[in-house]
Amino acid sequence: MKRPYVPLLCLVVVFIVFGGVCRTSLGAGIVHLLYNGHGQAYWDYMHDVAKSFQEQNPDVSIEIIICAHDKVYVMLGAGVPLDVIDLPDFGYLSLTGTFLDMMPSMKRDNLERHYHQEIIDQMKAPDGGLYTLPFSIAPQHTIYNRDLFRARGVATPDELGENWTWDTVLAAGRKLTYDKDGDGIVDVYGIDRAMSMWQSGTHQAGGKFYDNPYLPTKSLWTSDPVRKAVEFVGTIFREGLCPHFRVSNFREYMIYVGGSAMVFVDSSGTIGAYPDFLDYDFDFYLQPKGPMYRAALSQPQGPHILATTTDPELTWQWVKFWAVDRENVRDWMRRTLRVPLLRELQRSYAEASGFINKNWAAVFQQALEPNPYYYVFLPDTLDPRKISFDVVWRGLATPEDHLEEIHQNATRAIEEWHAALEKRDFLRQ
């Protein structure tokens, strides 16, 4: 599913901040690209943390550019001087020499101990370098409207426990898709935004899309686990348990406005964008178990420092200030409801986010489930999230035929990606 953006346009906010940390760099500037999909609370945090840093370091300017992915490619391709990229999906550029390895700075400043080692290992590139600073994680889990489950007499995910599976999801979805007022029009759907459930579903079936998450050499798109996942989600669409392709505006039927009963493609941080949802009795639980696991997309995110930054130490100090300083990150967590990767702050997540009376432990437990799905290391031509299955959901193509087409395209894309790396022509990917 594509992110909404205005092509090649961005919002530019310039903060006159920074300086003093590295007195040899007085008057220097840092260009910081910030993802337009992070949302207002995240942007406000960056604005305020920049102002706070200004009080300590008044002599260095930071230009924060709020933008979409296309803008990053344009600026990289044009050779515009950049220092920090805080947008997801650019991890694959670690293979190209585009980013600075932050592991030496992490070790020097004794920061590794603040993170779970498995997170550090997951984020390392094949050469052992750390090109993405661990900042946040967004494990997709079950979010459900307990009020709707109770109203329809359906057992909730936490009540089902180990029996919360693909089969019980379908059974619950059938009961929770209903016409409230008897006018023949469905008012509530069982499942919100099912169109991308096949991604986690593949891993719940024990599979994956490629043989290597960083540098694939083989497509696995026609494997049995992928097919099972697509067939499972296809059942949701065939039975009309999801509003997509059945309503003119699916946003009017999202779980956050009371139009659906459960969702599997969000994380707890998404709730921050829908404050009215706090009026519902909602809760969290693990993903439904597939044939093998409860695995899900569990995306560790963080900033990249450009290898071409004119002052690596200055840029590192800026990144460390807003992404590692505990008080600053605690403020970010409180504002955005997102999950930090700083280990010591995870203990206070429930209180800071306001989820103290929710099953917040499921958020972290989901992140530790086996066989998670990480997509941050692949170029667009290989990224599973950029692949649409709408023709299958609409019944216009069989899963087998569509997967074979994807497999052929992916096989070519793998060859092209390896060739691009050899020629260092990676920006075309």
Side-chain angles (χ1 to χ4, degrees), residues 105-138:
S105 297
M106 288 274 288
K107 290 182 178 295
R108 183 199 67 193
D109 294 349
N110 195 26
L111 295 179
E112 283 184 284
R113 61 190 175 89
H114 295 296
Y115 304 92
H116 293 287
Q117 187 59 47
E118 55 265 35
I119 290 293
I120 296 289
D121 292 341
Q122 289 163 5
M123 299 181 76
K124 284 182 179 177
D127 65 0
L130 186 69
Y131 299 94
T132 305
L133 182 69
F135 181 50
S136 67
I137 191 165

Side-chain angles (χ1 to χ4, degrees), residues 270-282:
T270 310
I271 294 173
Y274 300 94
D276 291 343
F277 188 57
L278 300 177
D279 295 334
Y280 295 95
D281 185 4
F282 70 93

Side-chain angles (χ1 to χ4, degrees), residues 328-403:
N328 287 335
V329 177
R330 182 178 285 108
D331 182 41
W332 165 86
M333 177 173 65
R334 177 185 59 80
R335 295 186 190 207
T336 66
L337 309 185
R338 298 192 185 197
V339 179
L341 283 173
L342 283 176
R343 196 168 53 178
E344 56 264 43
L345 291 187
Q346 292 177 353
R347 300 184 184 94
S348 60
Y349 175 73
E351 182 178 359
S353 63
F355 296 148
I356 192 69
N357 295 320
K358 305 297 181 183
N359 184 17
W360 58 270
V363 177
F364 294 97
Q365 186 178 347
Q366 184 66 66
L368 298 175
E369 282 291 311
N371 202 32
Y373 162 38
Y374 303 109
Y375 62 75
V376 296
F377 310 125
L378 296 171
D380 287 355
T381 52
L382 292 169
D383 188 342
R385 296 175 312 127
K386 305 299 172 63
I387 295 173
S388 172
F389 275 81
D390 285 1
V391 292
V392 177
W393 310 150
R394 291 177 179 272
L396 303 177
T398 66
E400 292 78 13
D401 287 347
H402 195 54
L403 288 171

